[in-house]
């Protein structure tokens, strides 16, 4: 008799994971996803992003009945009112979540049980780049450090290999670490008569 513990590892359904990988091997087009976000400016540095629909596994997703909402703000020192985390903080959140999820997924695939996992991230930015005060200063993060505290049922060498693999295969980490084309295009609305 198979127990629930044997069917899941790190909270993931192992059988479903194997089936998903096999389906993608048999039809690579299922691996193509398009995620979407919409944003509306509110006032000053405050704006709201909503996320709901996406395309993946060969179809538009219909599993979400409600949108996720995220308020972007700025601290007073950056002319805001602490309406929410600022966008560069959300980037740290996205990076932490993706590296964590990638670690958990690949640990499960390798038969590694994780008992505890937490991360702390810190990124340094010089706002002279944002303000165009010094052309030699990068506009975004100069460096991001991730400290991962992890306990798992494997050797230190296996854990180090897993973390290096997770860093190399995390979509958000890869997006941050390599140049990705981003276009900004103005949408033109017809003038009302």
């Amino acid at each position: 008799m198979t127990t629930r513990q044997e069917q899941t590892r790190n909270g993931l359904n192992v059988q479903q994971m194997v089936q998903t990988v096999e389906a993608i091997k048999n039809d690579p087009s299922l691996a193509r996803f398009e995620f979407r976000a919409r944003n509306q400016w509110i006032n000053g540095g405050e704006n709201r992003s909503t996320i709901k629909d996406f395309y993946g596994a060969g179809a538009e997703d219909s599993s979400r009945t409600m949108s996720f909402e995220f308020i972007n703000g700025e601290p007073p020192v950056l002319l805001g009112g602490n309406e929410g985390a600022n966008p560069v903080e959300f980037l740290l959140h996205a990076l932490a979540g993706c590296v964590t999820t990638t670690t958990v997924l690949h640990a499960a695939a390798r038969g590694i049980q994780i008992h505890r996992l937490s991360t702390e991230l810190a990124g340094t930015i010089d706002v002279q780049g944002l303000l165009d005060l010094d052309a030699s200063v990068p506009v975004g993060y100069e460096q991001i450090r991730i400290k991962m505290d992890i306990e798992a049922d494997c050797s230190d060498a296996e854990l180090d290999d897993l973390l290096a693999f997770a860093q190399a295969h995390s979509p958000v980490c890869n997006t941050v670490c390599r140049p990705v084309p981003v276009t900004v295009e103005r949408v033109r609305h017809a003038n009302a008569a």
Side-chain angles (χ1 to χ4, degrees), residues 3 10 38 43-45 106 108 128 131 146 193:
T3 66
N10 302 328
R38 291 167 181 80
N43 187 38
H106 286 284
Q128 291 181 90
L131 300 173
I146 302 174

Side-chain angles (χ1 to χ4, degrees), residues 53-65:
D53 58 314
F54 68 90
Y55 176 89
E60 284 294 322
D61 178 73
S62 62
S63 68
R64 295 175 175 170
T65 58

Side-chain angles (χ1 to χ4, degrees), residues 119-141:
T119 56
E120 288 184 21
L121 287 80
T124 54
I125 290 181
D126 183 334
V127 297
Q128 291 181 90
L130 164 70
L131 300 173
D132 197 25
L133 298 175
D134 185 339
S136 69
V137 174
V139 175
Y141 277 120

Side-chain angles (χ1 to χ4, degrees), residues 66 72 175:
M66 297 176 51
N72 299 288
T175 300

Side-chain angles (χ1 to χ4, degrees), residues 68-118:
F68 300 108
E69 289 194 2
F70 304 93
I71 301 294
N72 299 288
E74 293 291 343
V77 70
L78 293 175
L79 307 177
N82 281 327
E83 305 86 355
N86 72 22
V88 294
E89 291 169 315
F90 273 112
L91 182 98
L92 294 179
H93 166 67
L95 183 57
C98 194
V99 169
T100 297
T101 300
T102 303
T103 300
V104 169
L105 174 69
H106 286 284
R110 294 174 181 211
I112 298 171
Q113 181 66 46
I114 295 176
H115 303 290
R116 183 177 44 78
L117 191 159
S118 63

